[in-house]
Amino acid sequence: MSEIKQALEQKIVSRQAAVVVIGMGYVGLPLAVEKAKAGFQVTGLDCDSQRVQMINEGKNYILDVSDDEMRRLVASGKLSATDSYSALVGADIIVICVPTPLTTNRDPDISFIETVADGIVRYLRPGQLITLESTTYPGTTEKVILPKLAVKGLKAGQDFFLAYSPERVDPGNRHYNTRNTPKIVGGVTPQCLDLACLFYRQTISKVIPVSSPAVAEMTKVFENTYRSVNIALVNEIMMLCDRMGIDVWEVVDAAATKPFGIQTFYPGPGVGGHCIPVDPYYLVWKAREYDFDTRLIELSGHINLQASYYVVEKVRDALNSRHKCINGAKILILGVAYKKDIDDLRESPALKIISILRRLGATIVYHDPYIPSLILEEQSTVALSSKILTQDEISASDCVLIITDHSSIDYSWVCRHAQLVVDTRNVTKDFRESREKIYRI
Ligand code: SAJ
């Protein structure tokens, strides 16, 4: 075994390895906290100086991270943050957790990863392990990152070590976290794989090696595409059941009684978040290189987008039943975050639905305890603030539209005072009173 690899192994096992996590978001900060808790010296590197300042003041901004734990780790000096790449000078392990969004025409945007790789190479030295965690298309680690790092003449698997290990954070999940979610790891060489697995094994109970970074990259995109396709299926069944006068929620619950061969997904107003509406398009784009049309994957994205337009039709039909129309209606939207009990607005279907309703002439107000304000990019930039949920606000609205079912809202009280309710999350399923004014998708 090379001396370089042996030395790094020792540093990892003794927790003497200096760790730098690049990208202190919903993936990077929880990972940094876990590694610091395990005894590593961890530095968070982020271009957002406000985030850097909050971390150095021990102020947590990620729901899934414990405020007290973070405060204690910062106070002990185990965790700190910076916006300077010079932090890489002493780094033995560098973990990349930056966003991988889409461009406006839904092509992959890996510019954050490329910028980070360009920053790393300036400080690359023998003995460093680099792992990429951002969700991306198969081939990124070996065909984009590796060539950038190789320019210094150092050899992967001998001088430095490179692996891909996808993040599997489920925001808001109270049971699964960075520690107890199994971790897939693919190394550029066997030595890279060994070291990356050893590093992750210090804080994660189950680490699964795979034969290459491409397998690990494809695994992650497959996991999220699987969700997109299955959510699209249940959304298509929802729209068909509506046409047939069948209660889709009853169908889904009945199908869920089958103890094998089915996983339950629920219809909704569309899919939001940084993953499900984004990751499948990374695969769609890459597949074109191989003359391969990922028709099912693309269609699932289309259907999930149509679910948002379908919700607008339900609002139109509900108002129509009261001899009203969308144009001129005052609509109170409950919940705009992309899913319940979290404070993330990214790609939320609520944004699409609000834009369509406004374009049709509705006046929109919203209440979301997790989202104090939001910006709509329309002909001009429009800012909306979350309203306090009062009886007057509810009763003054022509329609209350439940888009995200945060647990903290008393929906029975809302329905009691509402003129009309459109429920896209089936939170009113057991309500006996007010049934006549409730429309479910
Ligand atoms: N949604 C439905 N119906 C469902 C499930 C979800 O309409 O049955 C909607 C949600 O309301 C939300 C969107 O889909 O708008 C995405 O929700 P999600 O929980 O599937 O996705 P994320 O992005 O919050 O978290 C996911 C992880 N979720 C789970 O495994 C349950 C997982 O796919 C990834 O580990 C994670 O993204 C990631 O970071 O990649």
Side-chain angles (χ1 to χ4, degrees):
M1 177 192 313
S2 78
E3 278 180 24
I4 292 174
K5 180 171 183 276
Q6 205 162 21
L8 185 50
E9 273 189 356
Q10 276 309 311
K11 281 187 171 182
I12 292 172
V13 171
S14 64
R15 311 284 163 88
Q16 297 305 309
V19 178
V20 174
V21 178
I22 305 178
M24 297 306 277
Y26 80 95
V27 175
L29 185 54
L31 178 82
V33 165
E34 284 306 317
K35 293 302 177 188
K37 272 167 60 181
F40 289 99
Q41 184 68 42
V42 182
T43 305
L45 172 56
D46 200 295
C47 60
D48 182 334
S49 52
Q50 192 183 3
R51 275 183 172 179
V52 168
Q53 184 180 343
M54 288 186 76
I55 292 170
N56 288 329
E57 291 171 357
K59 291 178 186 158
N60 176 34
Y61 51 82
I62 296 288
L63 275 180
D64 295 344
V65 171
S66 151
D67 296 351
D68 292 340
E69 263 181 5
M70 181 173 158
R71 198 176 300 119
R72 180 171 52 77
L73 291 164
V74 173
S76 69
K78 275 294 178 192
L79 177 62
S80 63
T82 178
D83 59 2
S84 165
Y85 272 83
S86 59
L88 299 181
V89 170
D92 298 304
I93 296 167
I94 302 164
V95 186
I96 307 170
C97 303
V98 294
T100 44
L102 293 175
T103 63
T104 43
N105 50 8
R106 293 208 176 100
D107 284 344
D109 174 2
I110 61 165
S111 60
F112 292 99
I113 294 182
E114 292 174 305
T115 301
V116 164
D118 292 337
I120 290 172
V121 75
R122 299 203 317 264
Y123 298 92
L124 188 65
R125 59 169 172 74
Q128 285 181 322
L129 165 66
I130 297 106
T131 70
L132 173 62
E133 294 214 357
S134 309
T135 305
T136 185
Y137 57 79
T140 303
T141 303
E142 292 170 294
K143 301 210 174 82
V144 177
I145 305 291
L146 182 56
K148 282 180 175 287
L149 300 182
V151 296
K152 280 186 101 166
L154 298 176
K155 195 166 168 32
Q158 187 178 301
D159 303 313
F160 70 94
F161 307 92
L162 178 61
Y164 181 79
S165 180
E167 58 89 0
R168 278 176 157 178
V169 174
D170 180 18
N173 192 317
R174 296 281 175 261
H175 180 74
Y176 290 108
N177 51 48
T178 305
R179 207 172 35 261
N180 65 5
T181 302
K183 201 86 162 75
I184 302 288
V185 182
V188 167
T189 71
Q191 295 77 13
C192 301
L193 179 63
D194 285 350
L195 281 165
C197 287
L198 181 66
F199 169 61
Y200 283 113
R201 280 199 185 100
Q202 304 308 305
T203 53
I204 298 173
S205 39
K206 197 167 178 197
V207 174
I208 298 117
V210 291
S211 59
S212 69
V215 167
E217 289 159 339
M218 180 60 96
T219 300
K220 173 61 183 181
V221 183
F222 166 66
E223 287 168 7
N224 283 2
T225 302
Y226 164 84
R227 291 183 68 72
S228 173
V229 168
N230 280 284
I231 294 166
L233 171 61
V234 74
N235 280 335
E236 183 158 78
I237 296 293
M238 161 186 70
M239 291 183 259
L240 174 58
C241 281
D242 180 67
R243 193 73 63 86
M244 297 174 73
I246 295 171
D247 181 341
V248 66
W249 300 98
E250 189 180 2
V251 168
V252 168
D253 286 346
T257 60
K258 186 178 177 188
F260 51 82
I262 190 164
Q263 182 182 4
T264 301
F265 290 86
Y266 293 99
V271 293
H274 32 272
C275 311
I276 309 306
V278 173
D279 301 345
Y281 288 101
Y282 270 67
L283 207 48
V284 168
W285 177 83
K286 191 63 181 175
R288 289 183 199 133
E289 216 174 283
Y290 299 84
D291 299 335
F292 191 91
D293 290 336
T294 50
R295 286 169 297 169
L296 174 61
I297 298 173
E298 284 187 88
L299 185 56
S300 67
H302 171 75
I303 292 170
N304 288 330
L305 191 56
Q306 289 313 303
S308 298
Y309 286 86
Y310 168 76
V311 166
V312 173
E313 288 170 17
K314 288 305 276 186
V315 170
R316 179 200 62 200
D317 296 348
L319 286 168
N320 191 52
S321 73
R322 293 292 191 286
H323 306 289
K324 294 181 179 178
C325 62
I326 289 178
N327 195 353
K330 183 180 177 189
I331 298 172
L332 167 61
I333 287 179
L334 293 189
V336 291
Y338 81 79
K339 71 176 182 181
K340 72 187 296 189
D341 303 342
I342 65 164
D343 60 357
D344 196 336
L345 195 53
R346 279 175 294 180
E347 305 290 328
S348 174
L351 298 173
K352 169 70 71 182
I353 293 168
I354 290 172
S355 290
I356 299 168
L357 288 170
R358 282 171 50 86
R359 199 167 58 237
L360 293 172
T363 299
I364 301 294
V365 293
Y366 84 90
H367 168 76
D368 187 314
Y370 293 86
I371 309 282
S373 64
L374 63 85
I375 300 285
L376 291 175
E377 297 303 340
E378 296 175 346
Q379 294 72 12
S380 61
T381 303
V382 177
L384 296 178
S385 301
S386 177
K387 293 277 187 183
I388 297 170
L389 192 58
T390 63
Q391 187 176 319
D392 290 348
E393 196 69 61
I394 294 167
S395 56
S397 301
D398 297 300
C399 177
V400 174
L401 172 54
I402 302 168
I403 292 185
T404 305
D405 48 332
H406 292 310
S407 310
S408 59
I409 294 174
D410 178 349
Y411 295 101
S412 155
W413 171 72
V414 167
C415 291
R416 202 172 313 128
H417 299 289
Q419 297 180 49
L420 200 54
V421 176
V422 173
D423 174 7
T424 70
R425 299 292 188 173
N426 201 27
V427 286
T428 62
K429 66 180 175 185
D430 299 326
F431 289 8
R432 292 286 158 263
E433 59 171 301
S434 321
R435 276 263 49 105
E436 74 292 346
K437 52 184 163 176
I438 296 172
Y439 285 72
R440 289 182 299 159
I441 56 171

